[in-house]
Amino acid sequence: LSTPRTTTTVDTIELTVRALRALAGPFAGLSGADFCQAICRHIVEQLELDCVFVGLYASDTEEVHSYAGWDGQGAMQPFSYALADTPCEHVVGREYATYPDSVQQRFPNDLMLVEMGLEAYVGAPLFDRKGRPLGIVVALATQALATDHPVATLLPLFVETISAEIQRSRAEQELRQQEAWLRKTEAGYRALFDSLHETVYVQQADGRFITVNQGAERMYGYPRDWFIGKGPADLAAPGRNDLEALQRIYSRVLDGQPQTFEFWGRRADGSEFPKEVRAYRGIWYGDEVIFALAIDISDKKAHQQQLEYAARYDILTGLPNRVLLAEYMAQTLDGCREAQRQLAVAYIDLDGFKAINDHHGHEVGDHLLVAVARRMQRAVDKDDLVARLGGDEFVAVLATSSAERLDPRLDRLLQAASAPIVLGELTLHVSASIGVTTCACTHDPSDPDQLLRRADQAMYQAKLDGKNRIHLFDDALEQDILLRHENRTRLREALEHDEFELHYQPKVNMHSGAVIGAEALIRWRHPERGLLSPAAFLPDIEGQPLDIELGEWVIDRALRQTRQWREAGLELPVSVNISGHHLEQPDFIERLRARIEAEPDYQPGQLELEILESTALGEIGRTSSVIQAGRALGVAFALDDFGTGYSSLTYLKRLPAQVLKIDQSFVRDMLEDPDDLAILEGVIGLADAFRRHTIAEGVETLEHGQLLLQLGCEQAQGYGIARPMPADAIPGWIASWQPAPLWLEARPLNHEDLPILYAGVEHRAWIKAIEQHLSGAQSDPPPLDPHQCRFGRWLDQARSDRRLSQSPTLRLIDALHEQVHAEADRLLAEPRSDRVIGEHLGPLYQLRDRLLGELESLRR
């Protein structure tokens, strides 16, 4: 299907305002088909439709004849249109018919829909004043329309006006015909004259009535004889009309210029009403006169007032909407500048409203919004304004002479939103995040849009800070947002100019030496700043459309690279990181399928997608479905940064990813942090239990790799293996890669040997704590008593272990441990200086390494 055209509430309001201005301005001087033609053109151009026409029914309402129309190229040629088996058949004398898409499939016998290639149809019925079918107004589009497309709002605005103009035009035409009859017979003229439903006057040049028809009697409630000799002043509502201007209008009529104008009349019962008058020059029994046709437009005026209200006020809450808010802020800013006062703008977003709306339904949600709106109105001063922007977003505009007076008023707004709301048996609770910006009007040039944007930014920060609070706008925050916007613009240019490239970091089996794949890592070849890592630019596009575009680019380039390597005889799977925003797109799998199918000779497993564990847990149901659908395409999946997302066994069971990537933060510190080592052991054991593979990130030293292998994790990547490199360097690296002999010899530890492994890590951690204390990075030293440190406690337990207690190595370890503590005591007793950290730690490190070596001998 074509992409539906959409619009926003603000667009709809603006379109309504434009329509009203057009009716009151350039369209007011048109009549008949010209008037309807102008409306058709206005709708086509404002709503970007393909065709709009007005059709009038034949006498049997089985066929419609075009009266006016516009198709984007110009005025439509007259045509007739049989109604049977067409969407227009459903409009005849009934109601609106809307087919936002697939209208050809619904009405296959309608040849006009097929010939014009139409996809969407909106039809509105026209009725005369007695409720009889008059015709139709039809809007057509070659693309599907969104359900909230403004044509459904804009058409009703014009329907009554078009109906009234067609009837007025017909009445005028009939009047002209009756004038011809008048020349033949006065009796015949009088019969026709009185048969018109509309009011018709014959007036002298000064406006005094010569005669009127029965329509005038019905309109004003006076007998016909009462009108004779009287003028417009006798019919005018007091204070409602400019009678001098009316005389100028009559002068133009007598000059041969037909005129249309509004006039407020007063009936015999004293009630006042508006009417529309069409006047033109004519001949009456040889004398030059003014013929006038009048229509009561009370209903039209009321409808117009309703539309004007809807354009400026929120229909649900009755609060001012965005349009009126902008006008009020502009006026208030000017007033505050003159009075040297301060203006505050508070952007209010309700916390928890969506959950209530989803759980209890829109009706309950609407009642809640109305209740909160009333409370906030009562919470502000009488000169302040509260407006609703839409959804659960409001704005309060507060004028004050000092910043101190704002606090209690803002607190009242917060309390108004947070107080419980009782609806029947329901007690509902929401809160508010309020962002506030102030404008010292005497010297601040800010306009309403700037103030709203700043308040919106502050509100977002209030959300991030925990909600149910007030946050004042920070200039540094705006500068950061502007910088991010500039960076996004530059990043889009970089994508268009092909400034990005992929580097690949090998993934290996440390025990066997096999190269099992490579991770694709994006780099930006910046023209001025050189090669940039992802951390320098990816945060600026997180959650943005460019995030998706860049992710698609990486997948395309990675697939292309695997093909090039395969053609060169190298089979090497590539993994790609996928952002949460990218993964959440509804068409993610469809787009992935298209890319896989476009690759010739794609082999399952050549592409692996790495999903952050935190992303997977956020939408576990959807993530599980995406993984299953992707695996059906031959794509492998890995959970990246595993261990950082507070995952549970249930989550791991539900996520069908084959690989768990252990986060590098645990790997990097596992040699000196027993807690990280425990996490690593747990993750590896969890992967074994669920029959998943593990791969460790961040292997930087031989010791990292050795410890991982002892824990049972053979697959790894990191700077200790290889740094990311350009694609053309990968084949040469693979040819020269050899695993370290230490890794080839390493074997998984028995369970009974794990305490020795942990003891070594505990000892490293104790040495590091001594170093940090000496350097001032840690205020308190670790336990200095050899029997109180965690390694000492392990020694005490080892002495009671029959397997270890008789070992000479254990006694040597005990002696070395005593020496380590003695050396630490000596260092702590010396005055602190940089020299202590540099030269004097050497003996301590030597003792540490000897102890760790003996510890490894003990394990063996």
Side-chain angles (χ1 to χ4, degrees):
L1 293 177
S2 301
T3 303
R5 294 167 173 160
T6 60
T7 188
T8 63
T9 302
V10 177
D11 294 333
T12 303
I13 293 173
E14 178 61 25
L15 291 169
T16 302
V17 171
R18 292 178 189 171
L20 293 173
R21 289 173 177 167
L23 288 172
F27 295 177
L30 303 176
S31 63
D34 292 339
F35 177 83
C36 296
Q37 187 87 294
I39 289 179
C40 292
R41 180 176 183 177
H42 179 87
I43 296 174
V44 167
E45 294 177 348
Q46 293 296 316
L47 300 187
E48 300 181 6
L49 298 173
D50 296 283
C51 174
V52 174
F53 70 88
V54 176
L56 302 181
Y57 295 135
S59 58
D60 56 4
T61 68
E62 293 182 356
E63 191 176 51
V64 67
H65 303 292
S66 65
Y67 182 68
W70 193 269
D71 63 4
Q73 302 298 321
M76 296 179 66
Q77 296 299 317
F79 66 93
S80 296
Y81 186 45
L83 297 176
D85 297 326
T86 71
C88 294
E89 185 178 23
H90 295 266
V91 184
V92 178
R94 300 177 192 170
E95 57 190 11
Y96 284 69
T98 302
Y99 302 97
D101 57 26
S102 306
V103 69
Q104 290 186 39
Q105 288 80 356
R106 297 171 188 263
F107 300 93
N109 295 327
D110 190 338
L111 297 180
M112 188 179 81
L113 298 178
V114 177
E115 291 173 358
M116 296 181 67
L118 297 173
E119 182 70 15
Y121 172 100
V122 179
L126 299 174
F127 299 93
D128 65 15
R129 291 180 182 83
K130 293 185 178 180
R132 295 171 300 194
L134 184 65
I136 55 175
V137 181
V138 175
L140 302 168
T142 57
Q143 293 183 358
L145 301 180
T147 54
D148 61 345
H149 195 278
V151 67
T153 302
L154 210 58
L155 270 188
L157 171 64
F158 291 113
V159 163
E160 289 191 15
T161 306
I162 292 173
S163 297
E165 179 55 27
I166 290 173
Q167 293 173 83
R168 190 207 60 74
S169 180
R170 284 182 170 180
E172 182 177 347
Q173 184 179 4
E174 292 175 0
L175 184 61
R176 293 182 185 278
Q177 294 173 350
Q178 290 158 11
E179 184 180 4
W181 279 89
L182 182 65
R183 294 189 182 96
K184 296 180 180 180
T185 168
E186 183 177 355
Y189 162 77
R190 176 59 61 186
L192 291 172
F193 189 59
D194 287 336
S195 68
L196 294 175
H197 181 79
E198 289 75 12
T199 298
V200 181
Y201 313 121
V202 180
Q203 297 171 267
Q204 296 178 0
D206 59 4
R208 287 183 297 163
F209 297 108
I210 299 173
T211 185
V212 300
N213 72 344
Q214 291 180 358
E217 296 180 327
R218 292 190 295 270
M219 178 177 283
Y220 279 95
Y222 292 112
R224 180 181 298 175
D225 293 343
W226 180 89
F227 290 88
I228 309 306
K230 292 186 171 58
D234 300 303
L235 300 178
R240 292 264 196 172
N241 303 286
D242 186 343
L243 297 179
E244 292 182 0
L246 183 61
Q247 285 300 325
R248 292 192 292 272
I249 290 174
Y250 284 162
S251 296
R252 289 194 290 272
V253 172
L254 293 171
D255 288 340
Q257 305 174 36
Q259 300 288 304
T260 300
F261 58 93
E262 290 186 8
F263 185 87
W264 276 85
R266 183 172 63 178
R267 299 186 180 92
D269 61 7
S271 61
E272 299 177 354
F273 69 100
K275 64 179 182 179
E276 184 178 87
V277 181
R278 174 76 172 176
Y280 62 95
R281 184 178 63 184
I283 301 298
W284 177 268
Y285 291 104
D287 295 328
E288 190 175 67
V289 297
I290 297 172
F291 290 111
L293 179 71
I295 300 174
D296 187 336
I297 57 172
S298 298
D299 292 341
K300 176 182 175 181
K301 282 287 186 181
H303 184 60
Q304 184 173 347
Q305 290 174 355
Q306 291 174 353
L307 291 172
E308 290 175 351
Y309 179 88
R312 296 163 65 83
Y313 289 88
D314 177 54
I315 300 300
L316 176 64
T317 63
L319 295 176
N321 63 15
R322 190 183 293 266
V323 173
L324 186 54
L325 172 67
E327 296 175 359
Y328 177 83
M329 288 181 65
Q331 295 172 359
T332 306
L333 276 172
D334 292 339
C336 287
R337 288 189 174 106
E338 293 177 2
Q340 297 187 350
R341 302 185 73 199
Q342 177 176 265
L343 188 71
V345 178
Y347 202 109
I348 306 159
D349 185 274
L350 300 185
D351 308 320
F353 171 75
K354 184 179 184 300
I356 291 175
N357 207 37
D358 292 344
H359 183 71
H360 296 289
H362 295 295
E363 184 176 356
V364 170
D366 288 348
H367 283 301
L368 185 147
L369 289 174
V370 171
V372 171
R374 290 173 179 170
R375 285 182 178 177
M376 289 194 294
Q377 273 187 305
R378 293 193 295 267
V380 299
D381 294 349
K382 62 181 180 65
D383 294 331
D384 298 332
L385 177 133
V386 177
R388 183 188 180 209
L389 297 185
D392 59 350
E393 294 181 333
F394 300 84
V395 168
V397 182
L398 317 172
T400 182
S401 57
S402 65
E404 291 78 10
R405 294 186 57 194
L406 280 176
D407 291 343
R409 296 157 74 181
L410 293 171
D411 288 339
R412 290 200 301 269
L413 279 172
L414 192 64
Q415 293 167 8
S418 304
I421 295 173
V422 179
L423 298 176
E425 297 181 356
L426 289 175
T427 300
L428 306 176
H429 296 270
V430 293
S431 60
S433 296
I434 302 179
V436 181
T437 186
T438 58
C439 173
C441 299
T442 54
H443 60 271
D444 192 333
S446 301
D447 58 32
D449 287 339
Q450 289 175 306
L451 293 175
L452 278 176
R453 187 181 66 252
R454 292 174 183 171
D456 187 15
Q457 293 168 10
M459 180 277 294
Y460 180 70
Q461 191 60 45
K463 290 275 189 190
L464 295 178
D465 291 343
K467 305 179 182 179
N468 193 26
R469 65 192 63 227
I470 299 167
H471 186 87
L472 294 178
F473 172 77
D474 183 3
D475 284 327
L477 177 64
E478 182 177 39
Q479 293 303 316
D480 180 64
I481 291 172
L482 291 174
L483 180 60
R484 284 177 176 269
H485 178 72
E486 292 175 0
N487 290 346
R488 288 173 192 147
T489 302
R490 180 63 187 90
L491 282 166
R492 180 168 293 282
E493 293 174 354
L495 184 60
E496 293 171 354
H497 298 159
D498 201 23
E499 295 176 8
F500 293 107
E501 58 188 64
L502 291 184
H503 284 203
Y504 298 86
Q505 185 176 42
K507 298 188 288 185
V508 302
N509 184 307
M510 296 181 290
H511 184 67
S512 69
V515 180
I516 61 174
E519 180 178 0
L521 299 167
I522 192 169
R523 298 289 187 267
W524 181 6
R525 185 71 66 178
H526 196 285
E528 292 84 26
R529 298 166 60 191
L531 193 65
L532 302 181
S533 70
F537 56 90
L538 287 187
D540 290 333
I541 62 172
E542 184 177 355
Q544 301 294 317
L546 188 57
D547 183 354
I548 301 171
E549 294 179 43
L550 205 55
E552 298 282 348
W553 180 89
V554 172
I555 293 175
D556 281 339
R557 290 298 175 94
L559 285 171
R560 183 190 307 173
Q561 187 59 58
T562 60
R563 171 166 34 92
Q564 292 173 352
W565 279 332
R566 187 170 62 254
E567 292 170 351
L570 175 61
E571 290 289 346
L572 189 66
V574 171
S575 60
V576 170
N577 293 284
I578 295 296
S579 72
H581 183 57
H582 190 182
L583 188 72
E584 291 166 0
Q585 298 308 303
D587 61 346
F588 177 80
I589 287 297
E590 286 72 15
R591 296 168 72 93
L592 182 61
R593 177 183 291 108
R595 281 165 172 75
I596 295 295
E597 292 175 350
E599 280 297 315
D601 301 326
Y602 175 83
Q603 299 299 317
Q606 285 181 344
L607 176 67
E608 180 183 70
L609 300 183
E610 298 185 4
I611 303 169
L612 284 175
E613 182 192 17
S614 55
T615 298
L617 300 186
E619 291 287 345
I620 187 168
R622 167 161 174 76
T623 303
S624 179
S625 299
V626 168
I627 292 176
Q628 289 174 349
R631 290 183 63 177
L633 297 174
V635 177
F637 285 83
L639 288 183
D640 198 10
D641 292 351
F642 192 80
T644 62
Y646 310 103
S647 57
S648 71
L649 298 179
T650 301
Y651 287 149
L652 189 55
K653 177 181 177 181
R654 292 180 57 189
L655 290 171
Q658 303 98 316
V659 178
L660 307 182
K661 293 196 73 174
I662 303 173
D663 185 61
Q664 61 180 331
S665 63
F666 304 127
V667 176
R668 181 175 55 247
D669 297 330
M670 67 180 179
L671 296 173
E672 298 175 338
D673 190 329
D675 293 333
D676 282 347
L677 180 60
I679 290 174
L680 274 171
E681 183 190 359
V683 169
I684 294 169
L686 194 63
D688 288 341
F690 282 91
R691 295 181 297 280
R692 304 288 204 275
H693 299 293
T694 56
I695 180 169
E697 299 177 300
V699 174
E700 299 179 354
T701 65
L702 293 178
E703 289 79 8
H704 282 132
Q706 181 186 31
L707 187 51
L708 284 167
L709 288 166
Q710 290 173 339
L711 292 173
C713 178
E714 296 183 347
Q715 297 179 356
Q717 65 184 96
Y719 286 2
I721 299 169
R723 290 177 174 270
M725 63 189 76
D728 57 7
I730 286 288
W733 182 88
I734 293 176
S736 63
W737 153 252
Q738 292 292 331
L742 185 65
W743 293 353
L744 295 174
E745 298 171 1
R747 294 291 185 273
L749 295 179
N750 295 323
H751 181 72
E752 59 185 6
D753 289 334
L754 284 175
I756 300 177
L757 183 67
Y758 275 91
V761 174
E762 296 282 8
H763 185 62
R764 282 194 181 96
W766 188 89
I767 296 293
K768 183 177 181 181
I770 288 290
E771 178 185 341
Q772 290 179 333
H773 177 66
L774 289 172
S775 66
Q778 181 173 312
S779 58
D780 297 324
L784 299 176
D785 187 332
H787 298 284
Q788 294 300 318
C789 70
R790 295 173 74 169
F791 185 83
R793 293 200 294 269
W794 171 81
L795 268 176
D796 292 339
Q797 293 176 355
R799 292 189 193 99
S800 61
D801 186 333
R802 287 183 298 176
R803 188 171 64 95
L804 302 177
S805 60
Q806 302 303 317
S807 171
T809 303
L810 184 63
R811 290 193 292 272
L812 179 57
I813 290 171
D814 196 357
L816 287 170
H817 184 237
E818 293 286 346
Q819 294 178 45
V820 165
H821 276 262
E823 178 65 16
D825 289 338
R826 185 186 67 78
L827 290 171
L828 292 172
E830 292 186 1
R832 291 185 179 178
S833 67
D834 291 340
R835 182 170 172 271
V836 169
I837 304 304
E839 297 179 7
H840 284 203
L841 287 181
L844 185 66
Y845 291 153
Q846 292 174 5
L847 288 170
R848 176 199 62 189
D849 294 341
R850 284 182 60 193
L851 187 150
L852 292 174
E854 295 299 333
L855 199 63
E856 178 64 15
S857 298
L858 180 67
R859 182 191 65 78
R860 290 174 180 171

